[in-house]
């Protein structure tokens, strides 16, 4: 194939990245639409490997074509469109984020792409949302930077009377590099440590003879309950990788197979970094017995997170979905605003933005104790240990429990759809819903709502995110939630 | 993009003497227009056309949705389903292409012969000793034709060897005839010319169209650029083309609806497979038996017996247009169509009324499609890059194909337009719900009813078609067993504290059950034999005044006398509000893989409506439901058949199943009841008449009334034991704000699943049923069980009996012989009854 591809342009810069493990990613590219030459590749990122699976020419050839057809692009301002290719002839899959931006005084179309072998399709698909969310955010920032580059460029022309072409627009590449490398590392770590699709219940706490054998009863109850209340998104930290992974596997029992593939076990030798967007991840504490979670990344996770410390048996959780999304959007907006206002490279750094932003001060007590108790998980845990371990009885019982949760979640969605005429009217009575669907315990409602949020995104915001219309509704809302 | 890739290497590659066909892989792209809010999964494929440049014609099929996440979340399923459609289309195209090549070769051969003769004649006529200009031209022409023959022979060899080359690769499954006879027939029919081109060792799947008359090809027309390109129908064999369209229809139906319902259904299906022990109690077995989307492929790859059967039944339901199947036995791959047709014929006499109903429904469906009313949010369109959408003009290459259009051809017209969502059709007529409430239901209960009306009888009959299998008939067996049971004095079974079953459990010693009845072996997945029996229902003719087989079907529903009107429930499935990417969809038709599934969905909704109405209008709904959940037979007595059937339908969702077959529900009985009926049925609709025959009916009823619960629909009374538990209150709260039947049905399902879970725990709890020590008395074990039910499961009063009954059913079902079917239970309780009135 390489013989048939044109040689890469000498202008295409390439960054080779050393990764610890196997990289499923073949390359990442940044391309743009040149009004004279058509699609052109600006930069290539590729893992440093001995065996070259895809030559630079092939990468350029593929990346150029991701912008094909975009000459007539008619997107809304600020839109970032995702294109996904599975090219069996080339044995690759390509994920491209197409966006418009101003660079060098011209408005043009750009494409940031990642290229993987086709054999990794099953591996990649569960991680698609994570990758796209992260790349989308860096593009938002990169677009601001491109625009600022242009302003600075014109200022320099005015001041110095000269035009330095070589300086133009180069600064976006280091910014993109700052996110492309972590994405590569994430995929690499998932390749080696992702939770398998099928979990043997014997590898989990649910295989214990009795409820208190592996961990304290109350701790297990809190962990599972909070895990379900935060949409199945949890961080498990501890000093022992084995202990951490047992809890990780236990929590993953309550996820769907594709969500499990978006979860990561703890590495025993040294800890991974926290990765935003994974469902469950195990992290190892350092020598000092601590693990520092990056605030920004925790905030950028699509769902609130439960923090579980297996050393001290503590369980903390973030606020519910609607609050988390509200805070997340507010923080993202303020970060981009600060970025827009920044005047120098130093000011553009993340830490600087976080510390100097006046419009938004993050609530450091983002993890709080579990406020609401549930009856669903409690009854489940009280009952399952009555069944003999080592047989398929407990797996069947677990499947029944999960089926009940899913059915309740779907019933809840339908109930709200019926009540609001599919969103045309505001939802009036949460109290009736709780009584009718047997969700009077706050924890139960949280669990079912969290599950419903995953299959119907935006449900929390629809119910809780609207202003109160009448005092009756307000009273009802306050009394019930 | 993918089209560009596929354009490479076709035609004459450098260094090759002959044109080379490049068998390109399909490409899949997901793209969208965020401004318009439209996103698409696009499946690119390449077909072959002898007259196209490089012999290739790029096409694509697309699934368009307003929800980008839906496409990405269902990417693999979409990809798998579209790959099947593509493979089907390509197989038909290879067949058509090979046919075309054969004809071209015959033309060339004929032309060569003519030219040769002319040359010879010229040679003979030439006495001048040198070649004339005409002779040279003829010789050149002849050489050109011979070269062309070699090229076309090479192309034919390439196209024929494709499936065998692909077979060596990963997961390619071409068509293969299933019986050797067909192969032999095909081989014997082969054209000797064609066999010359076959590779050594290759099975002769290619046949020759015998009726073709070769034509003379003019030398200059060999490279003609102004020829009209073929339409998609012309490029593909008709059978495969219609199969492709069927597959695309199937895709549209499968992925119709909001993604949240698709996801939940997929998750539920996976979870239900893990709990096969309890599924029989309340789950829709037909739903579980349905193959998942990726296995539902009926068209192309590896037509299994199921697929053939399905195809047969489908075709038998279609309008009586016979396809001349013999003409398909030709060219590239052979399909055992003839065999299907024979099967269809053999099946035809067995078609019952219900199947005809389904047929009618198919017609309705087709009709609805053709009418082309409001479309759903998503649609499938088959897009050709060129004039593929033009009419069905027959090309020369298809001259031998039947003139009579197949039923699928009729559908093909539908396939090229947006498929109609029945939800949208339902939107068209909305009427005030209050006016639709039957008078008898409005009767006395003041609660507001915000429900949809019943659908008329005819429609109900059409919609809910049972999967009948008259071939499986263990009715005789059942009858003999029942007769032997009848002779047992009922009194001898009465009086025991714990419920006993009249039917002896066969060979307990060989079962995974000890003498004390405790199950010690964990549940195993269903055995294949058991699964096989689930498809059909046993015949029960002769019981209870001539019970029709269809009445055994859990999905069978009675209608009402109202004219069919659309309902509130049916009219509001238009937009989705919560997701930021609003998807226009139907929530009630998430993935109706085929019509049975649609019927099941409708049944659930209607049963839910009836049940919701029942609990709101009858204050004694709790004890009635308790009777059913605890295994006490409930008889609904009334003069009006429609009203009785409605009540039976409403209550049927609370009846636990006793076996793998349909629910023990008898909608309407006119003859006196016998003891065996109570063994067979747990919910019976009984006619009250004033005639002398009616006196017998009431007499028989009063004879057993001590052991029955009787709901009198005429006087609005209920005689049954007292209920003081809490489970039923959660199931059936008359103040519930649930507005729709489908929502209420789902609520009931979730509560019943919880009950099943409790019963499962109680059944398989390892320390509960056996004495801890040898000297431990039975009373102690019983006390332990009761404590467990009360303290661990949180049950009180009569709720305990519900779980005990479900546990008994579980135990009995578990220890049954596979394939034996559900052993009906007959039990009597000496519980004092109370009379409830409105």
């Amino acid at each position: 194939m390489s013989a048939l591809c044109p040689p890469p342009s000498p202008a295409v810069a390439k960054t080779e990245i050393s990764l610890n493990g196997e990289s499923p990613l073949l390359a990442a590219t940044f391309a743009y639409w040149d009004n004279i030459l058509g699609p052109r590749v600006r930069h290539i990122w590729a893992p440093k490997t001995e065996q070259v699976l895809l030559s630079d020419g092939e990468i350029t050839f593929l990346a150029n074509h991701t912008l094909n057809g975009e000459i007539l692009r008619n997107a809304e301002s600020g839109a970032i469109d995702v294109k996904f290719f599975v090219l069996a002839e080339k044995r690759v899959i390509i994920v491209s984020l197409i966006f418009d931006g101003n660079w060098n005084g011209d408005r043009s179309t750009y494409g940031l792409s990642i290229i993987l072998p086709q054999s990794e399709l099953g591996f990649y698909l569960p991680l698609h949302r994570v990758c796209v969310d992260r790349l989308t955010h860096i593009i938002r920032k990169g677009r601001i930077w491109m625009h600022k580059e242009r302003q600075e460029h014109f200022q320099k022309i005015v001041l110095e009377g000269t035009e330095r072409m070589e300086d133009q627009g180069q600064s976006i590449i280091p910014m993109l590099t700052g996110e492309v490398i972590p994405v590569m590392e994430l995929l690499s770590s998932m390749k080696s440590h992702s939770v398998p699709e099928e979990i043997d219940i014997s590898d989990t706490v649910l295989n214990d003879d009795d409820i208190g054998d592996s961990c304290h009863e109350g701790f297990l109850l809190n962990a599972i309950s909070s895990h379900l209340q935060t949409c199945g998104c949890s961080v498990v930290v501890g000093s022992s990788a084995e202990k951490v992974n047992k809890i990780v596997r236990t929590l993953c029992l309550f996820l769907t197979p594709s969500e499990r593939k978006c979860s990561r076990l703890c590495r025993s030798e040294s800890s991974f970094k926290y990765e935003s967007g994974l469902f469950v991840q195990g992290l190892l504490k350092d020598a000092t017995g601590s693990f520092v979670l990056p605030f920004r990344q925790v905030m950028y996770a699509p769902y609130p997170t439960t923090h579980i410390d297996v050393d001290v048996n503590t369980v903390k959780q973030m606020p519910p979905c609607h609050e988390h999304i509200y805070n997340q959007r507010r923080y993202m907006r303020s970060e981009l605003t600060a970025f827009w206002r920044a005047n120098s490279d130093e000011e553009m750094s993340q830490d600087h933005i976080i510390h100097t932003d006046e419009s938004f001060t993050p609530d450091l007590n983002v993890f709080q104790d579990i406020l609401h108790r549930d009856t669903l998980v409690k009854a489940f845990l009280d009952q399952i240990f009555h069944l003999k371990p080592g047989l398929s009885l407990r797996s069947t019982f677990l499947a029944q429990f999960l089926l009940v949760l899913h059915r309740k979640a779907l019933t809840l969605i339908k109930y709200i759809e019926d009540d609001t005429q599919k969103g045309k009217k505001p939802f009036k009575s949460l109290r009736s819903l709780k009584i009718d669907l047997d969700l009077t315990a706050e924890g139960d409602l949280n669990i079912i709502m969290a599950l419903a949020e995953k299959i119907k995104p935006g449900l929390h915001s629809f119910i809780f995110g609207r202003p109160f219309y009448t005092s009756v509704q307000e009273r009802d809302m306050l009394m019930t939630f | 993009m993918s089209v560009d890739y596929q354009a490479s290497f076709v035609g004459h590659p450098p260094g090759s003497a002959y044109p080379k066909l490049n068998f390109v892989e399909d490409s899949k792209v997901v793209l969208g227009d965020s401004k318009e809010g439209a996103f698409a999964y696009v499946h690119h494929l390449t077909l072959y056309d002898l007259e196209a440049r490089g012999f290739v014609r790029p096409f694509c099929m697309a699934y368009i949705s307003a929800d980008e996440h839906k496409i990405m979340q269902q990417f693999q399923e979409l990809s798998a389903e579209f790959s099947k459609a593509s493979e089907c289309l390509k197989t038909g195209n290879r067949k058509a292409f090979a046919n075309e090549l054969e004809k071209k070769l015959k033309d060339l051969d004929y032309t060569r012969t003519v030219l040769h003769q002319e040359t010879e004649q010229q040679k003979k006529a030439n006495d001048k000793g040198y070649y004339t200009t005409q002779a040279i031209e003829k010789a050149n022409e002849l050489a050109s034709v011979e070269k062309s023959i070699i090229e076309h022979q090479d192309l034919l060899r390439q196209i024929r060897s494709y499936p065998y080359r692909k077979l060596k690769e990963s997961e390619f499954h071409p068509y293969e005839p299933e019986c050797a006879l067909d192969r032999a027939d095909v081989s014997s029919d082969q054209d000797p010319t064609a066999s010359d081109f076959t590779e050594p060792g290759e099975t002769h799947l290619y046949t020759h169209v015998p009726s073709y008359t070769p034509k003379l090809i003019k030398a200059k027309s060999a490279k003609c650029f102004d020829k009209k390109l073929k339409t998609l129908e012309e490029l593909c064999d008709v059978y495969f083309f219609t199969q492709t369209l069927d597959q695309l229809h199937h895709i549209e139906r499968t992925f119709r609806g909001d993604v949240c319902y698709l996801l939940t259904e997929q998750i539920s299906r996976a979870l239900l497979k893990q709990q096969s022990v309890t599924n029989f109690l309340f789950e829709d077995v037909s739903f579980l038996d349905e193959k998942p989307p990726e296995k539902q492929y009926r068209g192309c790859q590896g037509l299994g017996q199921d697929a053939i059967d399905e195809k047969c039944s489908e075709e038998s339901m279609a309008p009586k247009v016979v396809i001349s199947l013999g003409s398909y036995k030709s060219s590239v791959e052979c399909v055992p169509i003839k065999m299907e047709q024979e099967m269809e014929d053999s099946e035809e006499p067995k078609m019952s009324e219900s199947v005809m109903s389904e047929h009618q429904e198919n017609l309705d469906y087709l009709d609805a499609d053709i009418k082309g009313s409001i479309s759903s949010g998503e649609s499938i369109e088959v897009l050709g890059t060129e004039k593929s959408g033009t009419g069905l003009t027959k090309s020369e290459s298809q001259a031998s194909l039947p003139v009579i259009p197949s039923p699928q051809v009729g559908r093909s017209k539908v396939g090229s337009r947006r498929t109609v969502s029945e939800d949208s059709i339902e939107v068209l007529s909305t009427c005030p719900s209050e006016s639709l409430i039957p008078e008898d239901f409005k009767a006395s209960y003041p609660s507001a009813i915000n429900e949809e009306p019943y659908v008329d009888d005819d429609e109900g009959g059409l919609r809910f078609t049972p999967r009948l299998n008259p071939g499986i008939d263990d009715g005789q067996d059942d009858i003999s067993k029942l007769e032997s049971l009848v002779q047992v004095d009922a009194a001898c079974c009465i009086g025991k504290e714990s419920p006993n079953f009249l039917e002896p459990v066969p060979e307990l010693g060989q079962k995974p059950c000890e003498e004390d009845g405790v199950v010690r072996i964990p549940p195993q997945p269903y055995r294949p034999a058991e699964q096989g029996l689930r498809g059909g229902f046993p015949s029960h003719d002769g019981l209870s005044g001539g019970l029709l087989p269809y009445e055994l079907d859990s999905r069978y529903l009675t209608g009402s006398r109202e004219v069919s009107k659309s309902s509130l429930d049916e009219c509001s499935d238009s937009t989705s509000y919560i997701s930021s990417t609003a998807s226009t969809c139907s929530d009630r038709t998430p993935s109706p893989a085929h019509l049975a599934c649609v019927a099941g969905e409708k049944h659930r909704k209607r049963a839910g409506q009836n049940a919701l109405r029942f609990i709101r209008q009858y204050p004694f709904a709790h004890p009635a439901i308790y009777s059913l959940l605890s295994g006490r037979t409930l008889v609904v007595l009334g003069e009006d058949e429609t009203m009785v059937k409605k009540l039976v339908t409403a209550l049927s969702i609370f009846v636990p199943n006793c076996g793998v077959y349909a629910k023990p529900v008898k909608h309407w009985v006119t003859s006196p009841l016998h003891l065996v009926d109570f063994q067979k049925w747990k919910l019976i609709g009984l006619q009250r008449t004033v005639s002398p025959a009616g006196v017998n009916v009431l007499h028989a009823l009063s004879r057993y009334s001590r052991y029955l619960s009787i709901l009198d629909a005429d006087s609005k009374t209920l005689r049954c034991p007292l209920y003081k538990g809490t489970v039923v209150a959660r199931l059936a709260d008359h103040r519930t704000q649930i507005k729709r039947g489908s929502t209420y049905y789902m609520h009931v399902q979730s509560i019943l699943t919880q009950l099943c879970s409790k019963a499962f725990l109680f059944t398989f709890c390892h320390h509960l049923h056996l004495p801890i020590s040898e000297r431990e008395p039975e009373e102690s074990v019983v006390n332990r069980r009761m404590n467990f039910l009360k303290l661990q499961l949180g049950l009180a009063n009569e709720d305990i009996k519900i779980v005990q009954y479900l546990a008994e059913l579980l135990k009995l079902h578990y220890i049954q012989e596979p394939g034996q079917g559900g052993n009906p239970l007959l039990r009597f309780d000496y519980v004092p009854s109370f009379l409830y009135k409105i």
Side-chain angles (χ1 to χ4, degrees), chain A residues 61-62 74 81 84 86 89-90 386 393 397 400 407 414 417-419 422-423 436 438 455-456, chain B residues 5 25 28 30 34-35 258 260-261 275 278 283 523 572 575-577 587 730 737 743 747 753 766:
Chain A
F61 179 70
L62 292 169
N74 183 27
D81 292 333
F84 184 67
V86 179
E89 279 296 303
K90 299 286 181 187
H386 286 284
L393 293 169
F397 193 69
Q400 284 170 341
R407 284 188 165 165
K414 273 194 72 67
E417 283 186 346
D418 296 348
D419 195 68
K422 289 189 173 286
D436 290 341
D438 193 25
I455 55 175
K456 192 81 178 173
Chain B
Y5 284 125
E25 303 279 343
K28 300 138 193 176
V30 176
S34 57
K35 193 173 184 180
D258 195 305
C260 77
Y261 297 96
Q275 42 189 298
T278 55
E283 300 301 331
S572 54
T575 52
S576 177
Y577 62 96
D587 57 354
R730 282 188 281 144
Q737 297 296 308
T743 310
H747 171 61
T753 310
H766 63 286

Side-chain angles (χ1 to χ4, degrees), chain B residues 168-351:
Chain B
K168 293 169 190 170
E169 294 176 16
S170 58
E171 294 177 353
F172 178 74
H173 302 290
Y175 281 112
E176 283 187 5
E178 295 201 344
C179 59
L181 185 65
D182 276 11
R183 287 181 187 228
D185 290 346
V186 171
S187 301
S188 65
D189 288 346
Q190 273 195 328
D191 180 65
T193 323
S195 64
D196 289 340
F197 309 126
T198 311
E199 285 189 342
E202 185 178 315
T203 313
H204 288 255
L205 296 177
Y206 310 110
T207 55
H208 171 65
V209 181
S211 61
Y212 182 70
T213 308
K215 297 190 297 288
L216 190 68
I217 296 178
K218 291 179 183 174
K220 287 181 181 174
S221 69
K223 288 184 179 178
C224 186
F225 294 102
D226 57 353
K227 279 192 176 178
K228 188 183 161 189
L229 287 173
K230 295 185 184 67
T231 63
L232 188 60
E233 291 90 335
E234 290 167 328
L235 279 173
C236 184
D237 181 274
V238 165
Y239 174 79
F240 292 93
F241 181 68
T242 52
Q243 289 288 310
T244 307
L245 290 181
D246 281 351
Q247 171 67 5
L248 292 176
H249 277 298
H250 164 69
I251 292 171
E252 195 276 332
R253 286 196 303 269
T254 305
F255 295 98
R256 186 186 295 175
D258 195 305
V259 69
C260 77
Y261 297 96
L262 288 174
L263 286 175
T264 310
E265 190 195 305
Q266 287 163 2
I267 293 166
S268 299
R269 195 189 293 271
L271 290 170
L272 283 169
K273 280 181 183 168
Q274 295 175 42
Q275 42 189 298
S276 52
V277 181
T278 55
N279 283 342
F280 77 97
L281 283 172
F282 294 105
E283 300 301 331
D284 186 352
V285 179
S286 62
F287 167 78
L288 288 174
D289 283 348
E290 278 164 22
K291 291 173 186 173
E294 64 274 13
K295 292 178 184 172
Q296 282 175 342
Y297 184 47
R298 300 155 298 155
C300 302
Q301 295 174 344
L303 283 171
Q305 195 60 44
D306 289 346
I308 291 170
D309 291 345
E310 198 172 332
K311 189 73 195 167
C312 288
S313 61
E314 209 171 83
E315 286 177 358
S316 69
M317 288 182 283
K320 297 278 179 188
V321 181
V322 182
I323 311 167
S324 174
L325 297 159
S327 61
Y328 293 135
K329 289 170 60 181
S330 146
S331 194
V332 180
E333 285 109 348
C334 180
V335 186
I337 303 166
K338 194 160 189 175
M339 188 175 73
E340 289 182 25
Q341 187 71 9
E342 283 164 2
M343 289 179 63
E344 178 187 327
D345 293 338
S346 64
E347 289 282 311
E348 212 162 21
K350 295 179 184 174
M351 287 298 171

Side-chain angles (χ1 to χ4, degrees), chain A residues 176-188:
Chain A
L176 294 177
T177 305
E179 192 64 23
V180 168
I181 293 174
V183 167
M184 279 188 177
E185 288 172 344
L186 165 69
L187 293 174
S188 177

Side-chain angles (χ1 to χ4, degrees), chain A residues 199-405:
Chain A
I199 296 173
D200 189 351
I201 201 168
S202 60
D203 296 333
T204 69
V205 176
L206 296 189
N207 198 50
D208 291 353
D209 284 339
D210 208 351
I211 190 168
D213 287 0
S214 287
C215 55
H216 188 263
E217 181 181 344
F219 167 68
L220 185 62
L221 170 61
N222 282 342
I224 294 173
S225 179
S226 180
H227 170 68
L228 288 172
Q229 287 180 38
T230 53
C231 306
C233 192
S234 296
V235 174
V236 185
V237 296
S239 304
S240 160
E242 192 184 349
K243 206 172 172 182
V244 167
N245 283 339
K246 194 167 187 178
I247 296 293
V248 168
R249 287 195 193 92
T250 306
L251 296 178
C252 283
L253 283 175
F254 299 87
L255 300 179
T256 64
S258 76
E259 287 169 350
R260 287 173 195 162
K261 286 162 85 175
C262 194
S263 302
R264 193 177 62 186
L265 293 164
C266 173
R267 187 167 58 183
S268 53
E269 53 270 28
S270 63
S271 183
F272 286 122
K273 285 192 299 181
Y274 169 85
E275 296 288 357
S276 176
L278 297 182
F279 277 96
V280 184
Q281 52 188 314
L283 300 168
L284 204 63
K285 288 181 180 174
D286 59 15
T288 62
S290 64
F291 186 92
V292 179
L293 283 174
F295 177 80
R296 183 176 65 95
Q297 291 186 37
V298 174
M299 288 296 291
Y300 287 173
Y303 300 117
T305 304
T306 292
H307 182 277
I308 299 166
D309 191 325
V310 295
D311 292 343
V312 290
N313 286 353
T314 56
V315 179
K316 304 271 184 184
Q317 65 178 193
M318 288 173 78
C321 272
H322 58 289
E323 208 175 319
H324 172 72
I325 297 294
Y326 177 78
N327 289 336
Q328 182 190 75
R329 297 288 153 86
R330 210 158 62 109
Y331 187 63
M332 276 184 177
R333 205 180 306 123
S334 65
E335 188 190 6
L336 293 175
T337 308
F339 207 67
W340 181 257
R341 288 177 186 156
N343 291 319
S344 65
D345 286 355
E346 293 84 43
E347 287 179 12
M348 304 281 279
S349 71
Q350 287 300 332
D351 292 341
H352 191 269
I353 289 169
I354 290 168
H355 290 116
T356 56
D357 180 32
E358 295 169 359
S359 62
F360 177 64
T361 306
D363 181 5
L364 295 177
N365 294 320
V366 68
F367 286 103
Q368 296 170 349
D369 289 331
I370 303 167
L371 296 173
H372 305 298
R373 301 292 160 188
D374 76 286
T375 63
L376 291 167
V377 178
K378 184 167 187 346
F380 168 74
L381 287 178
D382 285 345
Q383 292 166 4
I384 193 169
F385 288 95
H386 286 284
L387 292 166
K388 202 175 176 77
L391 306 170
S392 61
L393 293 169
R394 290 189 181 181
S395 297
T396 306
F397 193 69
L398 173 70
Q400 284 170 341
F401 173 69
L402 293 174
L403 185 64
V404 169
L405 296 188

Side-chain angles (χ1 to χ4, degrees), chain A residues 21-171:
Chain A
E22 177 194 356
S23 170
L25 200 71
L26 293 173
T29 62
F30 180 61
Y32 66 100
W33 185 274
D34 187 293
N35 283 334
I36 297 166
L37 299 170
R40 302 287 292 165
V41 176
R42 167 71 65 179
H43 201 90
I44 296 173
W45 295 266
K48 194 180 277 182
T49 52
E50 290 178 2
Q51 187 188 0
V52 178
L53 297 170
L54 215 56
S55 70
D56 287 356
E58 289 166 324
I59 294 169
T60 309
F61 179 70
L62 292 169
N64 278 340
H65 282 74
T66 59
L67 282 174
N68 266 0
E70 298 298 337
I71 191 168
L72 297 172
R73 179 179 159 83
N74 183 27
E76 284 181 346
S77 177
I80 299 170
D81 292 333
V82 182
K83 284 163 84 176
F84 184 67
F85 303 90
V86 179
L87 305 175
E89 279 296 303
K90 299 286 181 187
R91 304 275 173 213
V92 294
I93 53 179
I94 307 175
V95 186
S96 288
L97 287 87
I98 311 293
F99 60 98
D100 291 335
N102 284 315
W103 202 4
N104 298 341
D106 291 327
R107 185 174 175 81
S108 188
T109 302
Y110 303 88
L112 180 63
S113 308
I114 55 174
I115 305 170
L116 298 99
Q118 195 191 356
S119 55
E120 301 291 355
L121 181 64
F123 162 79
Y124 171 75
L125 279 175
L127 297 163
H128 177 72
R129 188 183 167 185
V130 179
C131 293
V132 166
D133 282 354
R134 291 175 60 158
L135 294 175
T136 301
H137 188 65
I138 199 67
I139 285 171
R140 286 193 188 117
K141 292 205 294 189
R143 194 155 40 191
I144 292 174
W145 185 242
M146 283 160 66
H147 192 82
K148 289 174 76 67
E149 276 287 300
R150 182 191 166 208
Q151 285 181 328
E152 287 172 16
H153 171 65
F154 283 133
Q155 284 167 3
K156 280 176 185 171
I157 290 173
V158 172
L159 290 173
E160 299 172 10
T162 56
E163 190 171 356
R164 294 183 300 165
M165 291 297 290
E166 66 273 16
D167 289 345
Q168 289 178 33
Q170 290 299 318
S171 294

